[in-house]
Amino acid sequence: MTSAPIMTSPRSVSQPIRTLVVDDSVVVRTVIERILNADPHYCVVNKSSSAEQALAFLADNKVDLVLLDIELPGQSGLAALPAIMDAGAGVKVAILSGKCEEGSAAAVEALALGASDILSKPGSGSFGEQFPQALVERLGRLFADDVEQVRPIAPPRPPQLATKAATQPLACLGIGASTGGIHALGQLFEAMDAPLGVPILLTQHLPLSFTVYFAQQLARMTSLRVQVAATGDLLAPDVIYVAPGDANLQLRKGLHGRVTIQLNQERTPAGNLPGVDPMFASMAETYGAGAAGMVLTGMGRDGTAGARAIVAAGGWIVAQDEASSVVWGMPGSVAGEGLTCALMEPREMMAFVARRGKVMA
C-alpha cells in the first residue's frame, strides 16, 4: 500500500500480464484498456460490465490480474470478490473504485477478502496525466517482490531453514505483514484453536486512515481482544496490539519486569512506518529467547533486520510460504537469510507456534 520510487518490470514482454477489467462504465473500461495496452507488460484480454460477465469469462479463461470496481449492476464487486478469486485460481485482484477510498470500511473488507490492493479511480472525465503512470506502477508492484529499492538488487536467495531448537517458552509473538496481509491474517486467526497465553504484537503496512477499520475487521476474525497500540499500554496475554499507521510499535521494560508499549514515529531506513524491523528488534531486546516472529506476505524486506535480532537473541521466526503469498518479498527475504525455522501457509502457523512455544514450559 506504500509508494515506490521506481518501477521494476514485473515480467518479460513476451509474457504480458493478462488483465480482466470489470467496470460498469464503458468510458472507464476503454480508458483503462488504453492505458494498460500501451505498456508492453500488460494485455487486457477482456472487459466486463458486471460481476456475472467476469465470472463467465473466468470459467473458461486464465488471467493474472483483475481490476474490479465495487459498484456494479447486479452483484457488487465486493460481494463477488470471493467467487472471482476462486474462479481465477490464484489471480491477483486490485480494487479500482471511486467508492472504496483508502481507509474506508469497504477497503479493509476488500483486503480481508483477499484483494491485493486498493486503487482510487478518478471520475470518468478526470483521468489526468499522472493517473496512467501511477496505475501501471502500482499494479506492477504486485508482480515484483522488490521494487522499493532505488538501486538494482540481487535475486533472492533460496530458502534456508534454521534448525536450532527453541530454548525458552514463548513469551511474546510479533507478526509483520504488508501486501495481502489482511487476508493472510484472517486465515491465520481463523485456524487458531486456542489462545497462546502471550501478548501478540502486529504491524501491518497500512496508512493511518486504515487503522480503526483494520482493528475492527481483525476483531471479527478472532475471539482475542484487539486494540490499537498506544504509548503506556501494559502488555497482557492474549491481547493483539495493532501498530497505528503512523508509528512503530516498540516496547519498554520497567519496574518489576512490567512491559509497556512505546510508540516511535521515526521511519525505518527503508521508509516504512509502521515498521516490522523496529517491532522485532524491540521484542528481541525485551524478551530475548522468549520472542518469536511471524513474517507474512508483503513487498520489500521489512522484518529481515528485526528477525535477525530475534534469532541472535535466541528467539525464532516462522514465515509464510511462497505458494500462499500474494508477494513473497518480506517472507522470502527472511527465508533467504536463513532466519526462519519453518515456511508454511497461514492456516498452519498458529498450531506450529503453539507446539514450538511450549518448549521447556
Side-chain angles (χ1 to χ4, degrees), residues 142-167:
L142 298 178
F143 293 87
D145 285 346
D146 291 283
V147 298
E148 50 186 294
Q149 303 296 326
V150 175
R151 62 186 182 279
I153 58 173
R157 285 182 270 180
Q160 307 170 56
L161 296 184
T163 57
K164 184 178 179 181
T167 59

Side-chain angles (χ1 to χ4, degrees), residues 184 295-297 318-322 324-325 328 331 343-344 346 349:
V295 182
L296 302 179
T297 171
V318 58
Q320 188 169 349
D321 60 18
E322 185 172 9
S324 66
S325 296
W328 208 54
L343 294 171
M344 58 188 65
M349 285 184 166

Side-chain angles (χ1 to χ4, degrees), residues 19 52-53 67 73 79 84 120 127 157 162 178 180 236 252 270-271 275 333:
T19 305
E52 290 78 10
Q53 287 183 7
L67 283 180
I84 286 174
S120 181
F127 287 89
R157 285 182 270 180
S178 186
R252 173 182 290 176
S333 178

Side-chain angles (χ1 to χ4, degrees), residues 43-331:
C43 176
V44 174
V45 295
N46 184 262
K47 297 176 294 180
S48 300
S49 61
S50 68
E52 290 78 10
Q53 287 183 7
L55 288 168
F57 179 80
L58 290 171
D60 299 313
N61 299 274
K62 171 69 176 175
V63 301
D64 307 301
L65 172 67
V66 175
L67 283 180
L68 179 65
D69 191 11
I70 290 294
E71 291 192 318
L72 296 170
Q75 190 176 32
S76 73
L78 204 58
L81 180 55
I84 286 174
M85 293 190 62
D86 185 58
V91 68
K92 289 180 170 64
V93 179
I95 302 298
L96 182 63
S97 174
K99 301 294 184 181
C100 194
E101 297 85 0
E102 288 194 358
S104 68
V108 175
E109 184 177 357
L111 292 170
L113 289 171
S116 298
D117 204 353
I118 306 292
L119 299 91
S120 181
K121 179 179 67 176
S124 59
S126 60
F127 287 89
E129 295 181 0
Q130 296 181 343
F131 179 76
Q133 180 180 358
L135 176 66
V136 169
E137 291 187 355
R138 186 80 167 252
L139 295 176
R141 281 157 38 210
L142 298 178
F143 293 87
D145 285 346
D146 291 283
V147 298
E148 50 186 294
Q149 303 296 326
V150 175
R151 62 186 182 279
I153 58 173
R157 285 182 270 180
Q160 307 170 56
L161 296 184
T163 57
K164 184 178 179 181
T167 59
Q168 290 186 21
L170 181 66
C172 182
L173 175 66
I175 305 173
S178 186
T179 307
I182 297 182
H183 183 57
L185 287 166
Q187 296 175 322
L188 185 147
F189 285 112
E190 182 182 21
M192 187 176 185
D193 293 329
L196 297 174
V198 302
I200 299 175
L201 312 183
L202 172 58
T203 292
Q204 164 75 49
H205 290 171
L206 287 173
L208 179 61
S209 58
F210 274 95
T211 302
V212 172
Y213 291 118
F214 170 54
Q216 293 173 349
Q217 183 72 31
L218 190 63
R220 291 193 284 269
M221 300 175 181
T222 175
S223 60
L224 302 181
R225 184 155 65 92
V226 179
Q227 66 184 62
V228 178
T231 293
D233 284 347
L234 181 65
L235 288 199
D238 298 320
V239 177
I240 303 172
Y241 299 90
V242 178
D246 63 347
N248 300 311
L249 199 171
Q250 296 179 278
L251 304 175
R252 173 182 290 176
K253 181 177 286 189
L255 295 175
H256 311 296
R258 290 159 56 97
V259 179
T260 58
I261 288 174
Q262 180 71 40
L263 297 183
N264 182 310
Q265 294 185 308
E266 182 176 336
R267 289 188 177 274
T268 68
N272 298 115
L273 188 69
V276 181
D277 280 330
M279 181 183 74
F280 279 178
S282 183
M283 289 173 54
E285 183 177 355
T286 304
Y287 289 103
M294 285 184 181
V295 182
L296 302 179
T297 171
M299 290 182 286
R301 298 179 178 181
D302 189 23
T304 300
R308 193 177 297 114
I310 286 180
V311 172
W316 43 278
I317 301 292
V318 58
Q320 188 169 349
D321 60 18
E322 185 172 9
S324 66
S325 296
V326 172
V327 181
W328 208 54
M330 287 166 54

